[in-house]
Amino acid sequence: MATQFGERIRELRTKQNMLLRQLASLLDVDTSIISKVERGDRQLKKEQIPLLAQVLKADVEELQTLWLADQIYAVVKDEKFANEAMQVADKKINFKKNKK
Amino acid sequence: MATQFGERIRELRTKQNMLLRQLASLLDVDTSIISKVERGDRQLKKEQIPLLAQVLKADVEELQTLWLADQIYAVVKDEKFANEAMQVADKKINFKKNKK
DNA sequence: TTATATTTGCCAATATTTGTCAAGACAATA
DNA sequence: TATTGTCTTGACAAATATTGGCAAATATAA
């Protein structure tokens, strides 16, 4: 299964009839990187998301969320206790939130 | 806030009146590493968990779950959309599960 | 104080990630 | 078939991150 992020990027790019080569050029990276990102072979660097969103006229927060979901998934994907760990992590996240 | 994993290790170790030095010796690593792990300064390597569980007479699955929760937390901790990303990741995890 | 335990900062070795290049696969079409 | 354009893949080096260990600093206890 490809990444949420990659699939969305490909969707956005193709709907605008943009070539990999063109998108890569706008982001100033090699074409192969975008290809791999869209196919889920590689993760984009977090810092590159805002520019990507701008170039694709997409919602930067949506892309950041999908990107983050992929990071989480990469960590837990082969783990037996993924769900349990997610619950534990969730508690900690929201505990922190309420303290502020 | 320290890690879930580290806090639990410290709890297990001190309850058994074991010194950092002793635990480190059993695991064949430097004392400072265990100190850092317990304080959340560092993550233990995943492969070291089973031996650690054995030495502390703890449930390996509990420790693995806490360890994994820390990994997830490390990824999302400063992210605005942590909760949204968790939800997206969660769907993917359980989608995968049901397919098998 | 002295002795012991823990913490911290730093370093070198190792591992991982990143971007580039070049070659290959694939489809459309001349 | 040969050509063209797009996309994919693997190998590689450079940059970055992680790891374990040492030694000094700090805490704790007697």
Side-chain angles (χ1 to χ4, degrees):
Chain A
M1 192 185 185
T3 55
Q4 309 276 323
F5 184 81
E7 286 184 357
R8 184 73 178 116
I9 298 306
R10 174 147 296 186
E11 185 181 33
L12 288 164
R13 177 178 64 81
T14 54
K15 276 195 178 161
Q16 295 174 52
N17 283 87
M18 194 182 284
L19 298 176
L20 275 181
R21 167 165 56 76
Q22 296 172 316
L23 179 53
S25 168
L26 288 167
L27 297 177
D28 197 31
V29 294
D30 192 83
T31 304
S32 64
I33 290 178
I34 308 298
S35 170
K36 285 167 187 165
V37 167
E38 289 187 353
R39 299 174 53 75
D41 273 9
R42 235 181 226 218
Q43 309 279 26
L44 204 65
K45 285 206 289 186
K46 187 160 67 167
E47 302 77 39
Q48 296 169 316
I49 298 175
L51 176 56
L52 180 63
Q54 189 191 320
V55 162
L56 289 176
K57 303 178 194 74
D59 178 11
V60 63
E61 298 191 339
E62 180 209 353
L63 295 188
Q64 282 170 333
T65 300
L66 292 178
W67 181 90
L68 190 54
D70 287 338
Q71 310 306 307
I72 297 168
Y73 185 74
V75 165
V76 304
K77 64 168 180 292
D78 295 322
E79 297 285 346
K80 191 174 168 189
F81 302 104
N83 280 308
E84 291 80 356
M86 290 281 280
Q87 278 188 23
V88 175
D90 209 57
K91 269 186 199 160
K92 193 166 174 184
I93 292 163
N94 292 300
F95 175 72
K96 188 190 171 191
K97 226 181 186 173
N98 293 332
K99 280 184 65 173
K100 288 196 183 170
Chain B
M1 192 186 187
T3 55
Q4 309 277 323
F5 184 82
E7 285 183 359
R8 183 76 178 113
I9 298 305
R10 172 147 295 186
E11 185 181 31
L12 288 163
R13 176 177 65 82
T14 54
K15 276 195 178 160
Q16 295 173 53
N17 282 89
M18 193 182 285
L19 299 175
L20 275 181
R21 167 167 58 75
Q22 296 171 316
L23 179 53
S25 168
L26 289 166
L27 297 177
D28 196 32
V29 294
D30 192 83
T31 304
S32 65
I33 290 175
I34 307 299
S35 170
K36 285 166 188 166
V37 167
E38 289 187 353
R39 299 174 53 74
D41 272 9
R42 233 183 228 217
Q43 311 278 24
L44 203 66
K45 285 206 288 186
K46 187 161 65 166
E47 303 76 41
Q48 297 168 315
I49 299 175
L51 176 58
L52 181 63
Q54 188 190 320
V55 161
L56 288 175
K57 303 179 194 72
D59 178 11
V60 64
E61 298 192 337
E62 182 209 352
L63 296 188
Q64 282 170 334
T65 301
L66 292 178
W67 181 91
L68 191 54
D70 288 338
Q71 309 307 307
I72 297 167
Y73 185 75
V75 165
V76 304
K77 65 170 179 291
D78 295 323
E79 297 285 346
K80 191 174 169 189
F81 301 104
N83 280 308
E84 290 80 356
M86 290 282 279
Q87 280 189 23
V88 174
D90 209 57
K91 270 185 198 161
K92 192 166 174 182
I93 292 164
N94 292 299
F95 175 72
K96 187 189 173 191
K97 228 181 187 172
N98 293 332
K99 279 184 67 173
K100 286 197 182 171

